[in-house]
Short mmCIF file of all heavy atoms in Angstrom, two decimals:
data_model
loop_
_atom_site.label_atom_id
_atom_site.label_comp_id
_atom_site.label_asym_id
_atom_site.label_seq_id
_atom_site.Cartn_x
_atom_site.Cartn_y
_atom_site.Cartn_z
N LEU A 656 -72.94 14.48 48.18
CA LEU A 656 -72.49 15.77 47.75
C LEU A 656 -71.06 16.11 48.30
O LEU A 656 -70.55 17.17 48.01
CB LEU A 656 -73.48 16.80 48.15
CG LEU A 656 -74.82 16.74 47.44
CD1 LEU A 656 -75.77 17.87 47.95
CD2 LEU A 656 -74.69 16.84 45.95
N ASN A 657 -70.58 15.16 49.10
CA ASN A 657 -69.25 15.33 49.66
C ASN A 657 -69.12 16.65 50.47
O ASN A 657 -68.17 17.41 50.31
CB ASN A 657 -68.19 15.26 48.62
CG ASN A 657 -66.83 15.01 49.21
OD1 ASN A 657 -66.71 14.49 50.34
ND2 ASN A 657 -65.78 15.51 48.53
N CYS A 658 -70.16 16.97 51.30
CA CYS A 658 -70.12 18.12 52.08
C CYS A 658 -70.47 17.95 53.56
O CYS A 658 -70.97 18.78 54.23
CB CYS A 658 -70.93 19.29 51.47
SG CYS A 658 -72.70 18.92 51.42
N LYS A 659 -70.15 16.75 54.02
CA LYS A 659 -70.34 16.52 55.45
C LYS A 659 -69.36 17.32 56.24
O LYS A 659 -68.16 17.41 55.88
CB LYS A 659 -70.14 15.04 55.77
CG LYS A 659 -70.86 14.66 57.06
CD LYS A 659 -71.01 13.13 57.13
CE LYS A 659 -72.09 12.79 58.14
NZ LYS A 659 -72.72 11.59 57.96
N ASP A 660 -69.75 17.94 57.28
CA ASP A 660 -68.91 18.84 58.14
C ASP A 660 -68.35 19.99 57.29
O ASP A 660 -67.28 20.49 57.57
CB ASP A 660 -67.76 18.04 58.74
CG ASP A 660 -68.25 16.93 59.66
OD1 ASP A 660 -69.27 17.16 60.36
OD2 ASP A 660 -67.62 15.83 59.64
N ALA A 661 -69.04 20.37 56.20
CA ALA A 661 -68.62 21.49 55.37
C ALA A 661 -69.85 22.13 54.76
O ALA A 661 -70.96 21.67 54.91
CB ALA A 661 -67.64 21.04 54.35
N SER A 662 -69.57 23.12 54.02
CA SER A 662 -70.63 23.76 53.13
C SER A 662 -70.23 23.75 51.68
O SER A 662 -69.00 23.70 51.39
CB SER A 662 -70.85 25.17 53.65
OG SER A 662 -71.30 25.22 54.94
N TYR A 663 -71.14 23.89 50.88
CA TYR A 663 -70.81 24.04 49.40
C TYR A 663 -71.35 25.41 48.97
O TYR A 663 -72.52 25.65 49.07
CB TYR A 663 -71.42 22.95 48.56
CG TYR A 663 -71.26 23.20 47.09
CD1 TYR A 663 -69.96 22.95 46.51
CD2 TYR A 663 -72.27 23.66 46.28
CE1 TYR A 663 -69.82 23.24 45.14
CE2 TYR A 663 -72.09 23.89 44.97
CZ TYR A 663 -70.88 23.70 44.38
OH TYR A 663 -70.61 23.90 43.09
N ILE A 664 -70.49 26.28 48.50
CA ILE A 664 -70.85 27.47 47.91
C ILE A 664 -69.99 27.54 46.63
O ILE A 664 -68.78 27.42 46.68
CB ILE A 664 -70.53 28.68 48.82
CG1 ILE A 664 -71.39 28.63 50.06
CG2 ILE A 664 -70.79 30.03 48.03
CD1 ILE A 664 -70.98 29.69 51.10
N LYS A 665 -70.67 27.72 45.54
CA LYS A 665 -70.06 27.65 44.26
C LYS A 665 -68.98 28.74 44.11
O LYS A 665 -67.85 28.43 43.72
CB LYS A 665 -71.02 27.79 43.12
CG LYS A 665 -70.54 27.52 41.77
CD LYS A 665 -71.58 27.47 40.69
CE LYS A 665 -71.09 27.16 39.32
NZ LYS A 665 -72.14 27.04 38.41
N TYR A 666 -69.30 29.95 44.47
CA TYR A 666 -68.24 31.01 44.44
C TYR A 666 -68.76 32.18 45.21
O TYR A 666 -70.01 32.26 45.43
CB TYR A 666 -67.87 31.40 43.02
CG TYR A 666 -69.03 31.82 42.14
CD1 TYR A 666 -69.49 33.20 42.22
CD2 TYR A 666 -69.76 30.95 41.32
CE1 TYR A 666 -70.54 33.61 41.50
CE2 TYR A 666 -70.79 31.36 40.61
CZ TYR A 666 -71.23 32.72 40.67
OH TYR A 666 -72.25 33.12 39.90
N LEU A 667 -67.91 33.09 45.61
CA LEU A 667 -68.25 34.36 46.23
C LEU A 667 -67.68 35.44 45.44
O LEU A 667 -66.54 35.45 44.92
CB LEU A 667 -67.65 34.45 47.65
CG LEU A 667 -68.20 33.45 48.67
CD1 LEU A 667 -67.36 33.51 49.94
CD2 LEU A 667 -69.67 33.66 48.97
N ASN A 668 -68.54 36.51 45.23
CA ASN A 668 -68.09 37.69 44.55
C ASN A 668 -68.19 38.85 45.45
O ASN A 668 -69.17 39.04 46.17
CB ASN A 668 -69.01 37.97 43.37
CG ASN A 668 -68.80 37.12 42.17
OD1 ASN A 668 -67.65 36.65 41.92
ND2 ASN A 668 -69.82 36.82 41.44
N PRO A 669 -67.08 39.75 45.48
CA PRO A 669 -67.23 40.93 46.35
C PRO A 669 -68.38 41.75 45.80
O PRO A 669 -68.52 41.92 44.61
CB PRO A 669 -65.91 41.66 46.06
CG PRO A 669 -64.96 40.58 45.54
CD PRO A 669 -65.78 39.60 44.82
N VAL A 670 -69.15 42.35 46.72
CA VAL A 670 -70.31 43.07 46.33
C VAL A 670 -69.97 44.27 45.45
O VAL A 670 -70.74 44.63 44.58
CB VAL A 670 -71.13 43.43 47.60
CG1 VAL A 670 -70.46 44.58 48.34
CG2 VAL A 670 -72.60 43.87 47.23
N TRP A 671 -68.85 44.83 45.63
CA TRP A 671 -68.46 46.03 44.78
C TRP A 671 -68.03 45.63 43.39
O TRP A 671 -67.94 46.55 42.53
CB TRP A 671 -67.40 46.84 45.54
CG TRP A 671 -66.18 46.01 45.93
CD1 TRP A 671 -65.14 45.74 45.15
CD2 TRP A 671 -66.03 45.39 47.17
NE1 TRP A 671 -64.29 44.97 45.94
CE2 TRP A 671 -64.78 44.74 47.16
CE3 TRP A 671 -66.73 45.35 48.32
CZ2 TRP A 671 -64.27 44.01 48.21
CZ3 TRP A 671 -66.26 44.63 49.44
CH2 TRP A 671 -65.00 44.00 49.34
N ASN A 672 -67.71 44.37 43.15
CA ASN A 672 -67.26 43.99 41.77
C ASN A 672 -68.34 43.24 41.01
O ASN A 672 -68.30 43.08 39.82
CB ASN A 672 -66.08 43.00 41.83
CG ASN A 672 -64.82 43.62 42.30
OD1 ASN A 672 -64.78 44.80 42.65
ND2 ASN A 672 -63.75 42.83 42.30
N HIS A 673 -69.36 42.85 41.66
CA HIS A 673 -70.30 41.85 41.10
C HIS A 673 -71.13 42.53 40.02
O HIS A 673 -71.48 43.71 40.11
CB HIS A 673 -71.18 41.28 42.17
CG HIS A 673 -71.85 40.03 41.79
ND1 HIS A 673 -73.11 40.04 41.16
CD2 HIS A 673 -71.57 38.78 41.99
CE1 HIS A 673 -73.45 38.79 40.90
NE2 HIS A 673 -72.56 37.97 41.40
N SER A 674 -71.49 41.75 39.04
CA SER A 674 -72.41 42.34 37.97
C SER A 674 -73.77 42.56 38.51
O SER A 674 -74.54 43.40 38.01
CB SER A 674 -72.52 41.26 36.80
OG SER A 674 -73.09 40.07 37.36
N PHE A 675 -74.07 42.00 39.70
CA PHE A 675 -75.30 42.34 40.43
C PHE A 675 -75.04 43.52 41.27
O PHE A 675 -74.53 43.43 42.38
CB PHE A 675 -75.75 41.13 41.25
CG PHE A 675 -76.98 41.35 42.05
CD1 PHE A 675 -78.18 41.58 41.42
CD2 PHE A 675 -76.92 41.44 43.39
CE1 PHE A 675 -79.29 41.77 42.14
CE2 PHE A 675 -78.10 41.71 44.15
CZ PHE A 675 -79.27 41.87 43.44
N ALA A 676 -75.22 44.71 40.68
CA ALA A 676 -74.82 45.98 41.33
C ALA A 676 -75.66 46.27 42.60
O ALA A 676 -76.76 45.83 42.76
CB ALA A 676 -75.02 47.08 40.27
N TRP A 677 -75.01 47.09 43.39
CA TRP A 677 -75.60 47.44 44.72
C TRP A 677 -76.95 48.12 44.53
O TRP A 677 -77.82 48.02 45.33
CB TRP A 677 -74.64 48.38 45.45
CG TRP A 677 -75.12 48.58 46.87
CD1 TRP A 677 -75.67 49.71 47.33
CD2 TRP A 677 -75.04 47.60 47.94
NE1 TRP A 677 -76.04 49.52 48.67
CE2 TRP A 677 -75.68 48.27 49.06
CE3 TRP A 677 -74.59 46.31 48.06
CZ2 TRP A 677 -75.76 47.68 50.24
CZ3 TRP A 677 -74.79 45.77 49.28
CH2 TRP A 677 -75.31 46.39 50.38
N HIS A 678 -77.14 48.84 43.45
CA HIS A 678 -78.43 49.59 43.23
C HIS A 678 -79.57 48.59 43.15
O HIS A 678 -80.71 48.98 43.37
CB HIS A 678 -78.36 50.47 42.02
CG HIS A 678 -78.39 49.77 40.76
ND1 HIS A 678 -77.19 49.22 40.17
CD2 HIS A 678 -79.37 49.38 39.89
CE1 HIS A 678 -77.49 48.64 38.97
NE2 HIS A 678 -78.79 48.68 38.84
N LYS A 679 -79.26 47.33 42.79
CA LYS A 679 -80.41 46.36 42.75
C LYS A 679 -81.00 46.09 44.14
O LYS A 679 -82.16 45.88 44.26
CB LYS A 679 -79.92 45.04 42.19
CG LYS A 679 -79.57 45.11 40.68
CD LYS A 679 -80.81 45.24 39.94
CE LYS A 679 -80.58 45.13 38.42
NZ LYS A 679 -81.71 45.44 37.63
N PHE A 680 -80.16 46.20 45.15
CA PHE A 680 -80.71 46.05 46.50
C PHE A 680 -81.69 47.15 46.84
O PHE A 680 -82.74 46.91 47.43
CB PHE A 680 -79.59 46.08 47.57
CG PHE A 680 -78.72 44.86 47.55
CD1 PHE A 680 -77.40 44.99 47.32
CD2 PHE A 680 -79.28 43.58 47.75
CE1 PHE A 680 -76.57 43.81 47.31
CE2 PHE A 680 -78.47 42.48 47.73
CZ PHE A 680 -77.14 42.56 47.58
N GLU A 681 -81.41 48.35 46.37
CA GLU A 681 -82.40 49.51 46.65
C GLU A 681 -83.67 49.21 45.96
O GLU A 681 -84.72 49.58 46.43
CB GLU A 681 -81.75 50.78 46.20
CG GLU A 681 -80.60 51.27 47.07
CD GLU A 681 -81.10 51.52 48.53
OE1 GLU A 681 -82.22 51.98 48.74
OE2 GLU A 681 -80.36 51.13 49.40
N GLU A 682 -83.65 48.58 44.77
CA GLU A 682 -84.89 48.29 44.05
C GLU A 682 -85.78 47.39 44.86
O GLU A 682 -87.03 47.51 44.83
CB GLU A 682 -84.60 47.57 42.74
CG GLU A 682 -84.01 48.51 41.69
CD GLU A 682 -83.64 47.73 40.43
OE1 GLU A 682 -84.09 46.55 40.28
OE2 GLU A 682 -82.90 48.31 39.58
N CYS A 683 -85.15 46.54 45.72
CA CYS A 683 -86.00 45.65 46.58
C CYS A 683 -86.82 46.44 47.60
O CYS A 683 -87.94 46.04 47.88
CB CYS A 683 -85.08 44.71 47.37
SG CYS A 683 -84.12 43.58 46.34
N ASN A 684 -86.30 47.59 47.99
CA ASN A 684 -87.08 48.36 49.01
C ASN A 684 -88.28 49.06 48.39
O ASN A 684 -89.17 49.45 49.07
CB ASN A 684 -86.09 49.37 49.60
CG ASN A 684 -85.12 48.77 50.58
OD1 ASN A 684 -85.37 47.76 51.12
ND2 ASN A 684 -83.97 49.41 50.69
N ASP A 685 -88.24 49.16 47.03
CA ASP A 685 -89.34 49.83 46.34
C ASP A 685 -90.30 48.83 45.74
O ASP A 685 -91.25 49.19 45.09
CB ASP A 685 -88.81 50.78 45.25
CG ASP A 685 -87.98 51.86 45.80
OD1 ASP A 685 -88.28 52.37 46.94
OD2 ASP A 685 -87.04 52.30 45.16
N TYR A 686 -90.01 47.59 45.93
CA TYR A 686 -90.87 46.52 45.32
C TYR A 686 -92.29 46.55 45.92
O TYR A 686 -92.40 46.87 47.09
CB TYR A 686 -90.27 45.10 45.56
CG TYR A 686 -90.60 44.09 44.55
CD1 TYR A 686 -90.04 44.12 43.26
CD2 TYR A 686 -91.60 43.15 44.76
CE1 TYR A 686 -90.45 43.20 42.35
CE2 TYR A 686 -91.92 42.20 43.85
CZ TYR A 686 -91.41 42.23 42.64
OH TYR A 686 -91.70 41.37 41.68
N PRO A 687 -93.31 46.34 45.14
CA PRO A 687 -94.67 46.45 45.66
C PRO A 687 -94.78 45.56 46.91
O PRO A 687 -94.37 44.40 46.89
CB PRO A 687 -95.56 45.93 44.50
CG PRO A 687 -94.71 46.11 43.31
CD PRO A 687 -93.28 45.97 43.73
#
């Protein structure tokens, strides 16, 4: 995977721009 002595992360998105909105985190707290 050519990641010796490194990591592979496909991409990073700032939390405030991401399509995965911050309110989704709050939903986790209400999950059964």
